[in-house]
Amino acid sequence: MIYGVRHRTTYAYESPVTFARCVLRLTPRSDEVQSVIENDVTLVPAPSGKLERIGPFGEDVLTVVVEKAHTELIIEARSRVDVEAPMVAIDPSPAWETIRQASLQSIGLGPRDPSAFLYPTARTPVVAAITDYARTSFPPGRPVLEASADLMSRMHADFVYDGKATDVTTPAAQAFAARRGVCQDFAHIMICGLKGLGLPAAYVSGYLRTRPPPGRPRLAGADATHAWVQAWCGEERGWIGLDPTNALIVMNDHITLAIGRDYSDVAPIDGILLAPGDQKLKVEVDVVPEGEEGGGVEEARSVTN
């Protein structure tokens, strides 16, 4: 499946910004599941400097500096991505204790080695209550993928998607206690649970293809960035994507931007600016399979994060 992706972020500032330095992770990942055919990132006003590099987990990172005074910054990424995810069978996979032992013995230093995703981070600490919640899905001897999928499904049933309950800084423990949050919270919580049991887990940022109700056109700009989890299931099965927000095994409807230990590693846009006053943020995302662009798209009224 080939997708056209448009990701447009607009910052409006109360006072002129005289300097901005942005770190952008807006180039989708190329790996064994998906390949980037085209990618272009533009800024208005245009940056005075750019630096491209590969991040510690294999992500494409573009650092830009804007030195022209501005009251609005527009960052737009356009991509064509070919996604060919294989069918995923829940079984067979090794017992989760086997995976835990293999992870502890891993000495690899590569960006996808399980040892890089085994230990707690500031956003994914070991929280006793979350570990206990996860443990219910992991009785002795249960296959690791079956158990991880069960944890994902339980979270989907027990947690409420609520965009007003949390923000980007909300700790996983707080979102867990409230049983409310958004995809970022659910991914962090699931990672905390897996790591608490000694299992490697990664945070994935990207996009999710959404489907309009029957008979309704697609709303331009109404898709959104998304987050999910990858669980390591051993050398043979590798990393398997699990989406606790939707209780889905990740396949062709998910497009990966970047993979890291938590949101801090893969934030699509972060950085610093020099200006007093408030700012407003508007994010518009379109994820459209090729062949669906024409005749079925109407403008969204507004999309604000």
Side-chain angles (χ1 to χ4, degrees), residues 57 99 103 112-121 124 138 148 151 187-204 228-233 239-240 242 259-262 265:
F57 299 100
I99 298 302
S103 302
R112 298 294 284 147
D113 285 313
S115 54
F117 302 91
L118 186 59
Y119 301 100
T121 69
T124 58
F138 289 81
S148 299
L151 173 60
H188 280 153
I189 291 167
M190 186 168 176
I191 291 170
C192 288
L194 292 171
K195 287 184 176 179
L197 295 171
L199 298 171
Y203 182 102
V204 188
W228 59 94
V229 175
Q230 284 188 349
W232 192 65
C233 298
W239 292 94
I240 304 295
L242 302 164
I259 300 170
R261 298 164 301 177
D262 60 28
D265 287 335

Side-chain angles (χ1 to χ4, degrees), residues 77-273:
R78 289 182 175 267
S79 306
R80 292 179 68 228
V81 187
D82 188 1
V83 182
E84 295 293 340
M87 291 293 294
V88 176
I90 294 297
D91 284 321
S93 63
W96 71 270
E97 299 97 333
T98 301
I99 298 302
R100 179 177 61 185
Q101 186 63 30
S103 302
L104 292 172
Q105 294 175 344
S106 173
I107 58 174
L109 299 177
R112 298 294 284 147
D113 285 313
S115 54
F117 302 91
L118 186 59
Y119 301 100
T121 69
R123 290 180 180 265
T124 58
V126 172
V127 179
I130 299 178
T131 302
D132 290 342
Y133 177 86
R135 199 185 310 276
T136 300
S137 296
F138 289 81
R142 191 175 195 183
V144 66
L145 182 53
E146 179 185 305
S148 299
D150 182 71
L151 173 60
M152 171 188 72
S153 297
R154 288 174 51 224
M155 288 186 61
H156 179 69
D158 295 345
F159 290 69
V160 176
Y161 189 95
D162 183 352
K164 297 181 179 180
T166 60
D167 60 34
V168 71
T169 65
T170 301
Q174 181 178 326
F176 174 78
R179 298 296 198 275
R180 310 180 81 86
V182 295
C183 56
Q184 173 186 300
D185 303 300
F186 301 156
H188 280 153
I189 291 167
M190 186 168 176
I191 291 170
C192 288
L194 292 171
K195 287 184 176 179
L197 295 171
L199 298 171
Y203 182 102
V204 188
S205 73
Y207 308 105
L208 175 64
R209 174 192 181 187
T210 58
R211 302 171 189 266
R216 294 291 299 165
R218 298 182 60 84
L219 290 173
D223 293 329
T225 55
H226 193 46
W228 59 94
V229 175
Q230 284 188 349
W232 192 65
C233 298
E235 292 292 342
E236 183 174 343
R237 297 302 301 271
W239 292 94
I240 304 295
L242 302 164
D243 182 350
T245 304
N246 298 292
L248 291 173
I249 301 291
V250 170
M251 294 185 63
N252 283 341
D253 284 347
H254 292 72
I255 302 169
T256 299
L257 266 178
I259 300 170
R261 298 164 301 177
D262 60 28
Y263 175 79
S264 298
D265 287 335
V266 300
I269 301 174
D270 60 25
I272 60 171
L273 58 88

